[in-house]
């Protein structure tokens, strides 16, 4: 916050929350502001918008777009497009081929200072090494080919002369050194012959101090290589008519090639050798090393401006979003103003004929439930999915009831971008949703209890009836098998009937007493009805009212990582706004008659309802009249004896006294 305000001439502009920072709004009177203004202008220049005086989030948010049309981006990596001549461009490409590339900020391949230095060092070393070969080139440009032919037979010819010297020392070794024994050839004479079988034999038959014949009597496996050696080395160096090679002549040839072999062993710049010596000499001669260093220096010259691109993006985003963040984090103005969605609201969930706008994205439902339970809000955790994307939200239901909110129910979720997601409830934190739900909750629980008991008794009766039928069928089969019909008479349990009568009488007396007490209220009967309702619904309503007053958004946001220092209340009017219940569109007409209803059953239910109501009214009137007459005539009233006759009061008899003891 302080950093942003220090870079703006008027920090009050943050309240606008607009996407687009005027360059004139940046305070260039300070060094940081001046540097940031230069970076902002560099951004617009890279985008080809140098004449613009406004920079937006879209301008700065894509790094590739910032550098795609520029060759110098301050990262010290030079691309081939930065070269101003085709030859220099080719040199940069050659350096990339030899040393490998680094990605430029634009994503294109290039080289940095280290790779450029390594490449040119290799080129200069190889060019210098190649220039030092003049003294070693005994056959000029044919030296390399001659040395290759010499190297191909060097070991074999040295072996031949070594064997001849050994035969001269002891003539008995000649046969063995020539491998001329009969058994040696018999080992492979019986199978298909190839040069590979004799490649290990001497070049010629071994005799003391015998010169090597280069054109005849050669080991067939070596004849081609010796012929190449004779053609490229012996004839140019020893004479055109030379057909044999003596031991001392061979030693002379080895001495002549020694400088060339030493030169090869000292090879430098082997990494660039595949470019060819001529290409390497051209690169060194053109002084491309200095040109590439100059390009790198130009690239690094814009580093101060480019390094400030991050600060430019930060300022532009703060200019657009910081005011919104403060309104939603410090005082939750957007949440309570209801004019727009808060930044923590992920979208709207449509489920169970309601739309919930207070939906918060979460990552770990299990961890969030620990804090979410403290909010006193009815929360449904939903898994969202669309295509390959997945997300989890905590949806807060703050209006209606939770009778049909259960794990597994499906709905539709629309995020802030208007995309639709499939939603499924996975977990629920059960808290009161509304006063209406609390008022009707005891009656619904009572009805559910009766339904469960009726279903349980019906199931028990069904099982008992099934067991009786199975037992009766089994008994009938057994009796038919024995040929003796069962004549047992059903037992008549008088005690059971008496007990049922007593129970029904007690129930009737209780109901009659309740109605009698109720009708005694007279004109106060509506208050009696209200008292009964308060007696039944009062406790649950009071508990719900207390919990609804404690509803707060703080724990819900803290479970997602927010740090909330105060309590963010959700009162009942705000809750009614956050969860919108279904409403019929204007002009809609509701059809009350069901075309598929059972008319006979409906008439029977209607008649039964009327009879029950009439019976209750009649019972109430009878009880009321009975109590009225009793109150009027007192104890002297005898039903059925005609008019009551008042009687004279009878004086009470004097109380008996005990005589005193003498």
């Amino acid at each position: 916050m302080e950093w942003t305000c220090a870079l703006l001439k008027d920090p009050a502009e943050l309240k606008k929350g607009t996407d687009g920072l005027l360059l004139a709004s940046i305070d260039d009177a300070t060094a940081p502001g001046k540097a940031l203004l230069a970076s902002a202008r560099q951004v617009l220049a890279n985008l080809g918008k140098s004449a613009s005086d406004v920079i937006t989030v879209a301008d700065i948010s894509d790094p590739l777009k910032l550098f795609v049309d520029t060759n110098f981006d301050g990262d010290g990596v030079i691309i081939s497009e930065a070269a101003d001549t085709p030859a220099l461009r080719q040199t940069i490409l050659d350096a990339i081929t030899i040393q490998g590339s680094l990605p430029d900020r634009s994503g294109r391949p290039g080289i940095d200072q280290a790779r450029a230095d390594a490449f040119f060092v290799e080129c200069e070393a190889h060019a210098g090494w190649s220039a030092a070969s003049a003294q070693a080139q005994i056959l000029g440009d044919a030296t390399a080919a001659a040395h290759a032919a010499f190297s191909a037979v060097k070991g074999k010819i040295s072996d031949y002369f070594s064997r001849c010297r050994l035969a001269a020392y002891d003539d008995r070794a000649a046969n063995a050194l020539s491998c001329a024994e009969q058994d040696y050839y018999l080992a492979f004479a019986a199978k298909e012959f190839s040069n590979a079988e004799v490649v290990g034999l001497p070049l010629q038959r071994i005799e003391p101090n015998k010169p090597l014949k280069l054109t005849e009597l050669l080991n067939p496996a070596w004849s081609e290589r010796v012929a190449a050696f004779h053609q490229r080395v012996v004839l140019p160096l020893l004479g055109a008519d030379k057909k044999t090679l003596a031991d001392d002549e061979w030693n002379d040839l080895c001495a002549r090639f020694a400088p060339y072999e030493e030169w090869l062993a000292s090879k430098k710049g082997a990494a660039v050798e595949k470019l060819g010596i001529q290409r390497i000499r051209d690169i060194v001669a053109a002084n491309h090393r200095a040109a590439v260093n100059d390009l790198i220096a130009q690239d690094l010259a814009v580093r101060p401006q480019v390094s400030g691109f991050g600060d430019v993006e930060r300022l532009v985003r703060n200019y657009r979003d910081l005011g919104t963040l403060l309104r939603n984090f410090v005082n939750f103005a957007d949440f309570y103003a209801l004019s727009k969605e808060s930044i923590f609201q992920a979208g709207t969930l449509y489920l169970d004929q309601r739309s919930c706008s207070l939906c918060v994205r979460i990552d770990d439902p299990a961890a969030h439930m620990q804090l979410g339970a403290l909010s006193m809000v009815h929360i449904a955790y939903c898994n969202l999915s669309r295509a390959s994307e997945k997300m989890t939200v905590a949806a807060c239901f703050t209006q209606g009831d939770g009778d049909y909110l259960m794990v597994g129910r499906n709905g539709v979720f629309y995020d802030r971008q208007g995309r639709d997601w499939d939603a499924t409830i996975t977990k629920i934190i059960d808290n009161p949703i509304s006063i209406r739900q609390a008022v009707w909750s005891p009656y619904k629980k009572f009805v559910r209890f009766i339904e469960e008991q009726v279903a349980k008794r019906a199931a028990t009766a069904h099982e008992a009836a099934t067991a009786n039928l199975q037992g009766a069928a089994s008994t009938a089969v057994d009796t038919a098998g024995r040929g003796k019909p069962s004549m047992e008479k059903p037992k008549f349990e008088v005690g059971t009937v008496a007990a049922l009568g007593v129970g029904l009488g007690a129930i009737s007396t209780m109901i009659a007493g309740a109605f009698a007490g109720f009708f005694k209220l007279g004109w106060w009967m509506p208050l009696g009805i209200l008292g009964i309702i308060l007696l039944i619904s009062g406790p649950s309503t009071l508990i719900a009212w207390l919990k609804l007053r404690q509803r707060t958004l703080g724990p819900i946001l803290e479970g997602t990582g927010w740090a909330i220092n105060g309590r963010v209340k959700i009162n009942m009017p705000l809750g009614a706004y956050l969860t919108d219940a279904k409403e019929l569109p204007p002009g809609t007409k509701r059809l009350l008659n069901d075309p598929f209803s059972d008319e006979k059953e409906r008439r029977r239910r209607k008649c039964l309802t009327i009879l029950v109501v009439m019976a209750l009214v009649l019972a109430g009137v009878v009880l009321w009249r009975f109590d009225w007459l009793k109150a009027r005539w007192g104890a002297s009233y005898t039903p059925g004896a005609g008019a009551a006759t008042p009687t004279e009061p009878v004086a009470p008899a004097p109380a008996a006294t005990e005589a005193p003891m003498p």
Side-chain angles (χ1 to χ4, degrees):
M1 180 69 181
E2 294 179 1
W3 179 85
T4 302
C5 293
L7 292 171
L8 295 176
K9 294 178 179 178
D10 184 9
E13 293 183 16
L14 294 174
K15 294 189 297 183
K16 299 178 181 178
T18 56
D19 184 10
L21 171 64
L22 286 169
L23 299 184
S25 299
I26 300 175
D27 186 7
D28 56 353
T30 62
K34 188 175 182 180
L36 192 138
L37 180 60
S39 296
R41 295 190 186 280
Q42 185 66 45
V43 169
L44 295 174
N46 286 5
L47 295 173
K49 300 166 62 175
S50 300
S52 177
D53 59 350
V54 177
I55 183 170
T56 64
V57 173
D59 293 334
I60 193 68
S61 60
D62 188 357
L64 293 181
K65 185 176 69 173
L66 286 175
F67 302 108
V68 69
D69 293 327
T70 181
N71 295 325
F72 303 109
D73 47 28
D75 60 355
V77 177
I78 292 299
I79 57 178
S80 61
E81 290 83 351
D84 52 1
T85 62
L88 183 57
R89 186 177 298 113
Q90 184 59 48
T91 297
I92 295 175
L93 293 175
D94 290 340
I96 292 174
T97 301
I98 300 301
Q99 297 294 330
S101 65
L102 281 176
D104 183 66
R105 277 184 171 145
S106 63
R108 292 170 289 181
I111 57 171
D112 60 356
Q113 187 69 63
R115 282 172 169 75
D117 290 343
F119 173 74
F120 288 113
V121 165
E122 289 286 310
C123 288
E124 292 168 359
H126 193 76
W129 171 79
S130 177
S133 66
Q135 297 178 353
Q137 299 283 349
I138 57 177
L139 291 174
D141 294 339
T143 303
H147 181 262
F150 170 79
S151 299
V153 297
K154 181 179 180 180
K156 201 64 179 178
I157 293 177
S158 296
D159 173 75
Y160 171 78
F161 285 115
S162 296
R163 289 173 185 264
C164 289
R165 286 193 294 270
L166 185 57
Y169 168 75
D170 187 352
D171 57 358
R172 294 174 299 175
N175 253 0
L177 294 173
S178 299
C179 300
E181 287 83 357
Q182 183 179 6
D183 292 342
Y184 181 84
Y185 291 101
L186 289 176
F188 54 86
K191 58 183 180 180
E192 187 175 350
F193 179 79
S194 66
N195 285 341
E197 305 290 346
V198 297
V199 70
L201 296 178
L203 288 176
Q204 287 180 351
R205 184 174 178 81
I206 302 302
E207 296 178 6
N209 300 321
K210 176 187 175 184
L212 177 63
K213 297 180 179 180
L214 300 176
T215 58
E216 57 181 338
L217 302 176
L218 288 168
N219 184 334
W222 291 88
S223 59
E224 292 183 3
R225 281 174 277 189
V226 172
F229 167 71
H230 179 234
Q231 187 69 28
R232 296 179 178 178
V233 177
V234 175
L235 296 181
L237 294 177
L238 300 180
D241 57 349
K242 190 68 173 174
K243 295 183 179 181
T244 62
L245 184 65
D247 191 359
D248 57 344
E249 292 174 330
W250 169 249
N251 291 332
D252 179 59
L253 290 177
C254 290
R256 291 192 184 190
F257 278 106
Y260 186 80
E261 290 178 340
E262 291 177 2
W263 173 75
L264 287 178
S266 65
K267 180 185 291 187
K268 296 179 181 178
V272 298
E273 186 177 10
K274 61 182 179 181
L275 296 178
I277 187 59
Q278 188 57 48
R279 173 61 184 154
I280 294 172
R281 289 171 179 168
D282 292 343
I283 292 173
V284 174
N287 197 20
H288 282 171
R289 182 173 189 174
V292 169
N293 289 342
D294 182 60
L295 292 177
I296 293 175
Q298 292 182 51
D299 186 78
L300 294 176
V302 299
R303 173 171 286 182
Q305 291 84 0
V306 174
S307 62
F309 283 9
D311 289 339
V312 173
E313 181 178 6
R314 178 183 174 189
L315 181 62
V316 173
R317 289 187 179 276
N318 287 355
Y319 188 81
R320 184 192 67 179
D321 300 328
L322 189 56
T324 303
L325 177 64
L326 296 176
R327 287 194 302 272
N328 285 270
F329 185 77
V330 175
N331 56 8
F332 293 89
D334 288 350
F335 179 67
Y336 285 115
L338 309 180
S339 58
K340 61 182 73 174
E341 287 185 331
S342 301
I343 58 176
F344 51 79
Q345 291 178 261
T348 304
L349 174 67
Y350 294 88
L351 192 147
D352 193 34
Q353 302 181 356
R354 279 167 284 182
S355 62
C356 300
S357 59
L358 183 52
C359 298
V360 181
R361 181 171 181 174
I362 59 176
D363 297 323
D364 187 357
H368 187 273
M369 289 183 69
Q370 299 179 5
L371 287 173
L374 303 177
S375 67
M376 297 299 175
V377 179
H378 190 99
I379 303 176
Y381 293 90
C382 301
N383 284 346
L384 311 180
S385 61
R386 67 183 310 271
S388 59
E389 299 180 71
K390 294 185 181 299
M391 183 171 61
T392 302
V393 297
C396 301
F397 285 83
T398 54
Q399 184 181 185
D401 55 55
D403 295 343
Y404 295 98
L405 293 177
M406 60 195 70
V407 174
R409 288 212 62 185
N410 298 317
V412 178
F413 180 82
Y414 284 87
D415 60 19
R416 297 175 71 114
Q417 289 75 38
R419 301 178 300 173
D420 59 296
W421 301 67
D422 296 330
T424 303
I425 297 179
T426 56
K427 295 179 182 178
I428 289 178
I429 294 179
D430 191 9
N431 279 309
I433 298 179
S434 63
I435 294 294
R436 182 180 63 183
Q437 176 192 12
V439 170
W440 294 107
S441 176
Y443 307 101
K444 292 179 180 179
K445 290 180 179 179
F446 179 71
V447 171
R448 281 198 297 269
F449 174 76
I450 293 177
E451 291 176 349
E452 291 173 359
Q453 295 300 317
V454 170
K456 190 181 298 183
R457 296 293 177 85
T460 304
H462 174 71
E463 293 175 359
T466 303
N468 291 336
L469 287 175
Q470 292 175 349
S474 177
T475 303
V477 171
D478 293 343
T479 303
R482 293 193 299 267
K484 297 179 180 180
S486 177
M487 300 300 292
E488 184 179 358
K489 295 182 179 180
K491 296 180 180 179
F492 183 74
E493 297 289 345
V494 178
T496 302
V497 175
L500 290 174
V502 172
L504 291 175
I507 294 173
S508 301
T509 303
M510 182 184 67
I511 294 175
F515 274 105
F518 178 73
F519 283 108
K520 284 181 181 179
L521 296 174
W523 296 105
W524 297 96
M525 284 189 292
L527 293 179
I529 296 175
L530 181 61
I532 294 173
I533 294 176
L534 290 176
L535 181 64
I536 298 173
S537 301
S540 63
T541 304
L542 178 61
I543 293 173
W545 180 76
L546 292 174
K547 288 188 175 182
L548 290 173
R549 290 186 70 254
Q550 297 175 15
R551 287 190 304 190
T552 175
L553 181 64
I556 298 175
L557 295 181
E558 287 180 12
T560 63
W562 284 57
I564 306 300
N565 295 322
R567 302 184 65 187
V568 186
K569 287 284 190 177
I570 302 177
N571 58 19
M572 284 181 276
L574 178 59
Y577 177 83
L578 294 173
T579 300
D580 190 13
K582 69 165 186 175
E583 292 183 1
L584 293 177
T588 303
K589 294 182 179 180
R590 190 188 296 272
L591 298 178
L592 300 180
N593 56 328
D594 185 0
F596 300 100
S597 64
D598 189 346
E599 292 297 328
K600 293 182 179 180
E601 180 65 22
R602 189 170 65 85
R603 283 196 295 269
R604 282 196 296 269
R605 288 198 303 268
K606 185 176 181 181
C607 293
L608 180 61
T609 303
I610 293 174
L611 290 175
V612 170
V613 172
M614 291 178 64
L616 292 175
V617 171
L618 182 61
V621 171
V622 170
L623 292 173
W624 177 70
R625 293 296 297 172
F626 176 78
D627 290 340
W628 180 76
L629 290 174
K630 185 176 180 181
R632 181 176 180 181
W633 298 106
S636 63
Y637 173 72
T638 302
T645 303
T647 59
E648 292 294 334
V650 179
T657 60
E658 294 184 1
M661 294 292 293

